[in-house]
Amino acid sequence: MMAQLIKNRTAQADTWLTLELAEGDTPETLALPAGDVIFPLAVWQARKAEIISCHKRIGLLLQPDERVEDVAGDLDYFIVIAINFPKFVDGRGYSTAALLRQRYHYQGEVRAVGEVLHDQLFYLQRVGFDSYALKEGKDAVYALAAGFSAFSDGYQASTSQPQPYFRRRA
Amino acid sequence: MYKYDAIDRQLVNERVAQFRDQVRRWQSGELTNDEFRPLRLQNGLYIQRHAPMFRIAVPYAMMNSAQLRTLASVARKYDRGYGHFTTRHNLQLNWPKIEDVPDILTELAAVEMHAIQTSGNCLRNITTDQFAGVAADEIIDPRPLAEILRQWTTFHPEFAFLPRKFKIAISGTEEDRAVTWFHDIGLQLKQENGETGFTVIVGGGLGRTPIRGQVVREFLPWQHILSYCEAILRVYNRFGRRDNAYKARIKILVQALGVEEFTRLVEAEWEHGKDGPATITQAEFDRVAAHFTAPAYSAEAADDSYIAARRDAEKPFARWLERNTHAHKVAGYAAVTLSLKQHGIAPGDITSEQMETVADLADRYSFGELRISHEQNVILADVRQGDLYAVWQAARDAGLATPNIGLLTGIICCPGGDFCDLANAKSIPIANAIQARFDDLDYLFDIGEIDLNISGCMNACGHHHVGHIGVLGVDKNDAEFYQVTLGGRQGNEAKLGKVIGPSFSAGEMPDVVAKIIDVYIENRQDEERFLDTFDRIGIDPFKNRVYEGRAHGKAKAAEKEAA
Ligand code: HEM
Ligand code: SF4
């Protein structure tokens, strides 16, 4: 089984391949697969020219401790930026997504990957994620039905609603 | 007091439905224990020594009588007919069943209460001065901003999974009563050139690594507190440690970076949010502030002669007036503290019957409202002077009139080993033993103002570091021992206490406290309070007396051997 992709509020097949560094691989030497590939930041940084020359559609994977600031100049290259949640309680990815959207005005797909669970979908969507690789074994149908609509609104300004509630009061 | 409007009600109701669904999925196995844990914690549900423990929020300490009656009925229906007020304006129930919690939340939501983010690694309940709005020395009423902060913290999408818990305190008086130096963020009122704002203090905290906070911004106009907190939280969320729970509080990040570098990061982040949509509008401030207007105080002069006559006639009443009533900014009124520190009862505990009595008193004498103090007592904030005698009588009959506020037996105490899994030692029996030892009210009054704080372990839920006398439960070879600190204090000059020496057994504690008090009484000059004498003579005279003739270390082991 693999993660189930939720995008545009439907369950979809994932057409992207995420490149993983195996034991002994280095970003400099590993073979780059063809197709739609999500590259780890280290590989992108080491092989940028090569990737650009042979890939039309490029994705980037950011780990919790990787800073958006370090790729800020490259964002136009990416069709998708995947943000990893190794544990769902590690909330750094929320700030990463918020920065991508709010500060760098990144318009492509922002995808939550890793331990992505039903009860985080509402918050993820608020900060600017628009696709979600729901953890394997979890109920995508129920997530679609209930996960995004846990709350009907929010007090704070965030990506999906840039005005706080108090500025929207009649 | 703040009344929910449509959106507030809707979000709280949606939260109840969400949690009900989470409990259902956990019971059916769809959610694993690990997946469920942070969800239940963010709804105030701990699993503790005997049973789940459930923490209900009392935002910035304010409550109305209907809410307290609901707490009374919830405690009776789902628990054992009592609750425990904590040092952070929350009510804890010690024995609820997890399956009942959705129903409890439903009953609470009906009176505009909840348990949102009362636990877990998230933005916690906002705390402030229990005398907000009535304090004679108040410059601004912090409650409208506390409510605006409450809304901002509630379900903040970016900061729901922080490295560790995050506590914000806000104070609006010259004399800080909100412990702002020991919070993750402390907002301390400041006026500059006629503008109202706050000094922003970051990185304070007690717990295992007690640290006084540091000033990150001397002056922040009030309109910017949300955007500034947002900048602080973003820096913390991104860069706070997550590898070790004991090193994950923001205080550790501030220490590691140094306050200058931390401030630089925050200010750089704030450049982006400053003057943005999170800036509080005057309209929003006014909307919220309209909920906190002064009640309809009576213009009639207070019937002082009656109270004065009763005071002269009845010493117990006079004592209560002295300790349990406080200056009010409106002539003819007083704020009253109902003591939850009756000797022999767990400090902060309150029965359902007592809650109902307090609710009745609030309705009859204090505009139907009350507050919870961080000293774990209940406050009726707006009592007419002429009603004080009646309030005292009713409170006394309900066991809520012990005149020990600010005195030695008005102990602040955590649940400790009787209830808490993390405890090294019991704390409630120590509090009760000290109360029994100092049961003579004349003597207690003679000793005068003194804060005694007890925590059952270094997590410091009883704020022992800032007690004039602090007692900390420690584990010595699997036995319960107590370490004593002296000279800690809260307020503007907040300071951590100094450890007096090797720890004591439970049985020794009343004597140890008695000796400390003796040294004070023998040395005090004129009107000196305990703390004044301590500051003048230092810790040594106390140390000498307490350890006089007491063998420790090897000698003690030998003694034990011989016994
Ligand atoms: C029995 C259930 C409880 C548990 C398991 C518990 C656990 C903890 C832990 C682990 C900390 C330290 C957090 C840290 O330093 O990162 C802490 C801090 C604290 N607790 Fe509790 N606690 C409990 C009950 C209470 C109660 C009943 C009160 C109030 C009387 C309370 C008030 C506080 C306060 C004020 C702090 C803040 C100290 C600080 O970090 O500055 N807690 N608690
Ligand atoms: S101080 Fe320790 S023993 Fe007391 S409640 Fe907190 S965690 Fe438990």
Side-chain angles (χ1 to χ4, degrees):
Chain A
M1 272 202 300
M2 42 184 288
Q4 318 155 74
L5 188 67
I6 294 177
K7 194 177 157 183
N8 301 329
R9 296 296 167 85
T10 53
Q12 302 202 345
D14 184 4
T15 58
W16 290 85
L17 172 76
T18 301
L19 180 60
E20 280 168 37
L21 271 71
E23 193 68 28
D25 283 345
T26 68
E28 289 74 21
T29 57
L30 118 148
L32 301 181
D36 293 352
V37 180
I38 295 176
F39 294 98
L41 178 63
V43 176
W44 167 255
Q45 286 172 329
R47 313 275 287 276
K48 185 169 158 181
E50 192 184 337
I51 293 171
I52 294 167
S53 71
C54 60
H55 285 78
K56 270 218 195 62
R57 291 161 50 81
I58 304 168
L60 177 73
L61 176 67
L62 288 176
Q63 298 297 338
D65 61 347
E66 293 175 340
R67 292 160 25 107
V68 182
E69 289 86 339
D70 297 340
V71 277
D74 293 346
L75 297 180
D76 286 345
Y77 290 110
F78 308 122
I79 290 184
V80 53
I81 297 179
I83 297 172
N84 189 29
F85 290 85
K87 294 194 194 112
F88 76 93
V89 290
D90 183 338
R92 285 176 284 186
Y94 294 86
S95 289
T96 306
L99 282 169
L100 273 175
R101 295 293 197 204
Q102 296 165 23
R103 183 143 318 149
Y104 298 102
H105 309 289
Y106 176 71
Q107 304 289 328
E109 178 180 333
V110 179
R111 179 182 294 191
V113 302
E115 201 171 31
V116 178
L117 302 171
H118 181 110
D119 295 284
Q120 283 72 58
L121 295 174
F122 176 79
Y123 289 149
L124 290 169
Q125 148 200 273
R126 287 255 287 140
V127 298
F129 286 91
D130 57 358
S131 76
Y132 316 85
L134 190 70
K135 189 178 174 183
E136 63 181 49
K138 297 297 174 185
D139 186 343
V141 175
Y142 190 59
L144 276 162
F148 296 96
S149 52
F151 299 98
S152 48
D153 208 330
Y155 289 117
Q156 313 78 0
S158 197
T159 306
S160 69
Q161 174 45 273
Q163 294 297 316
Y165 191 83
F166 66 76
R167 287 180 184 267
R168 294 183 280 123
R169 284 178 181 278
Chain B
M1 155 171 179
Y2 188 74
K3 297 289 300 164
Y4 282 6
D5 70 1
I7 180 76
D8 304 315
R9 194 166 302 116
Q10 185 168 341
L11 292 178
V12 167
N13 288 338
E14 285 168 345
R15 176 58 148 205
V16 178
Q18 182 194 42
F19 189 61
R20 193 178 289 283
D21 186 55
Q22 287 165 347
V23 172
R24 177 188 68 73
R25 282 183 283 132
W26 171 68
Q27 286 174 321
S28 73
E30 280 170 69
L31 278 173
T32 65
N33 283 335
D34 283 347
E35 290 165 354
F36 183 54
R37 186 182 307 111
L39 306 179
R40 68 167 160 72
L41 286 173
Q42 298 210 7
N43 280 290
L45 196 54
Y46 273 85
I47 308 289
Q48 276 306 313
R49 186 148 289 194
H50 307 289
M53 183 172 274
F54 181 51
R55 191 180 281 164
I56 299 164
V58 183
Y60 44 91
M62 293 286 300
M63 223 194 288
N64 62 36
S65 54
Q67 293 176 325
L68 190 57
R69 285 200 184 88
T70 299
L71 292 178
S73 105
V74 159
R76 193 177 280 127
K77 185 162 158 193
Y78 299 101
D79 204 291
R80 299 190 182 172
Y82 73 97
H84 173 80
F85 280 117
T86 77
T87 46
R88 301 203 68 261
H89 307 335
N90 294 307
L91 180 88
Q92 278 194 184
L93 297 178
N94 287 323
W95 315 91
K97 292 208 211 56
I98 294 188
E99 311 79 271
D100 287 338
V101 170
D103 291 338
I104 300 177
L105 288 173
T106 304
E107 295 192 26
L108 293 175
V111 290
E112 308 188 352
M113 296 193 94
H114 59 74
I116 294 165
Q117 293 165 210
T118 51
S119 178
N121 297 331
C122 56
L123 292 159
R124 302 285 194 88
N125 197 11
I126 307 293
T127 53
T128 187
D129 175 10
Q130 65 257 27
F131 296 117
V134 303
D137 63 342
E138 184 167 275
I139 299 169
I140 61 156
D141 183 346
R143 292 172 301 168
L145 289 174
E147 171 60 25
I148 288 170
L149 278 165
R150 180 193 76 82
Q151 300 189 7
W152 172 78
T153 58
T154 302
F155 313 140
H156 197 299
E158 192 177 332
F159 307 129
F161 297 98
L162 296 171
R164 200 71 182 79
K165 59 170 135 181
F166 204 93
K167 303 175 179 179
I168 302 176
I170 179 168
S171 140
T173 46
E174 293 279 10
E175 174 61 28
D176 169 34
R177 280 186 292 267
V179 207
T180 50
W181 286 106
F182 290 99
H183 278 77
D184 296 286
I185 295 179
L187 297 171
Q188 209 175 75
L189 178 93
K190 181 160 186 185
Q191 291 192 304
E192 209 172 83
N193 307 325
E195 234 190 320
T196 296
F198 295 89
T199 298
V200 182
I201 300 163
V202 180
L206 298 171
R208 155 185 318 257
T209 320
I211 298 178
R212 193 171 193 264
Q214 301 190 70
V215 173
V216 163
R217 184 168 251 277
E218 282 292 346
F219 183 73
L220 179 72
W222 63 268
Q223 295 87 340
H224 299 296
I225 58 173
L226 299 187
S227 62
Y228 204 81
C229 284
E230 199 128 343
I232 293 170
L233 263 299
R234 189 173 274 173
V235 168
Y236 172 55
N237 190 41
R238 298 183 74 196
F239 305 120
R241 282 181 65 172
R242 291 174 185 266
D243 57 326
N244 178 342
Y246 297 132
K247 304 226 181 285
R249 293 289 288 270
I250 195 172
K251 60 192 172 189
I252 305 292
L253 179 65
V254 175
Q255 298 281 309
L257 292 173
V259 70
E260 291 77 22
E261 173 63 6
F262 178 81
T263 303
R264 197 190 61 72
L265 289 175
V266 169
E267 291 280 327
E269 184 60 45
W270 190 48
E271 274 308 306
H272 299 279
K274 186 183 178 187
D275 297 322
T279 311
I280 304 168
T281 58
Q282 188 67 45
E284 173 65 357
F285 181 86
D286 293 344
R287 180 188 77 82
V288 177
H291 291 273
F292 297 99
T293 49
Y297 292 119
S298 154
E300 286 166 45
D303 187 359
D304 258 323
S305 56
Y306 173 67
I307 293 301
R310 309 276 12 147
R311 175 174 52 216
D312 294 343
E314 295 184 53
K315 196 169 178 194
F317 178 55
R319 281 188 170 131
W320 181 80
L321 281 180
E322 184 184 333
R323 293 314 321 176
N324 297 35
T325 65
H326 317 272
H328 197 289
K329 67 181 177 192
V330 177
Y333 281 81
V336 167
T337 298
L338 300 172
S339 171
L340 300 183
K341 307 298 173 73
Q342 193 180 10
H343 293 186
I345 305 285
D349 272 12
I350 182 168
T351 66
S352 291
E353 290 69 35
Q354 286 174 321
M355 291 187 222
E356 280 153 358
T357 302
V358 173
D360 292 344
L361 287 173
D363 279 342
R364 182 129 180 233
Y365 299 112
S366 197
F367 302 97
E369 293 184 359
L370 55 121
R371 293 107 184 274
I372 308 309
S373 72
H374 79 260
E375 287 91 0
Q376 304 170 291
N377 292 307
V378 181
I379 314 281
L380 298 177
D382 299 292
V383 180
R384 282 173 62 162
Q385 297 271 0
D387 290 332
L388 288 174
Y389 187 72
V391 169
W392 171 67
Q393 286 183 309
R396 184 196 52 191
D397 294 346
L400 296 167
T402 314
N404 58 357
I405 306 307
L407 300 181
L408 183 62
T409 63
I411 299 169
I412 296 183
C413 180
C414 81
D418 292 299
F419 296 101
C420 176
D421 267 348
L422 306 176
N424 288 325
K426 293 193 185 65
S427 51
I428 296 167
I430 302 300
N432 292 155
I434 294 169
Q435 288 171 333
R437 180 65 174 261
F438 292 90
D439 210 22
D440 180 77
L441 280 177
D442 286 325
Y443 188 44
L444 202 57
F445 271 66
D446 180 38
I447 296 167
E449 281 180 25
I450 186 162
D451 293 346
L452 176 70
N453 296 52
I454 308 178
S455 304
C457 77
M458 58 288 198
N459 287 318
C461 302
H463 290 182
H464 63 275
H465 303 103
V466 292
H468 304 166
I469 301 178
V471 177
L472 163 67
V474 292
D475 177 15
K476 257 184 21 195
N477 307 324
D478 278 343
E480 300 189 356
F481 276 82
Y482 299 87
Q483 185 184 72
V484 174
T485 50
L486 294 180
R489 67 204 66 183
Q490 38 180 325
N492 295 359
E493 303 305 319
K495 211 153 99 174
L496 303 170
K498 286 193 193 136
V499 177
I500 192 168
S503 52
F504 306 97
S505 69
E508 291 173 299
M509 280 310 298
D511 277 346
V512 168
V513 174
K515 286 176 185 166
I516 290 168
I517 297 301
D518 286 346
V519 172
Y520 157 60
I521 301 278
E522 291 160 20
N523 285 280
R524 77 173 155 193
Q525 296 175 351
D526 309 321
E527 299 290 292
E528 270 184 348
R529 296 164 309 158
F530 173 81
L531 213 46
D532 303 322
T533 305
F534 175 84
D535 286 346
R536 184 171 52 77
I537 68 176
I539 200 166
D540 287 341
F542 296 93
K543 196 183 270 185
N544 294 340
R545 178 71 55 88
V546 164
Y547 294 105
E548 195 175 43
R550 180 176 183 271
H552 33 261
K554 286 200 177 104
K556 185 168 173 189
E559 226 173 52
K560 260 196 187 155
E561 197 79 345

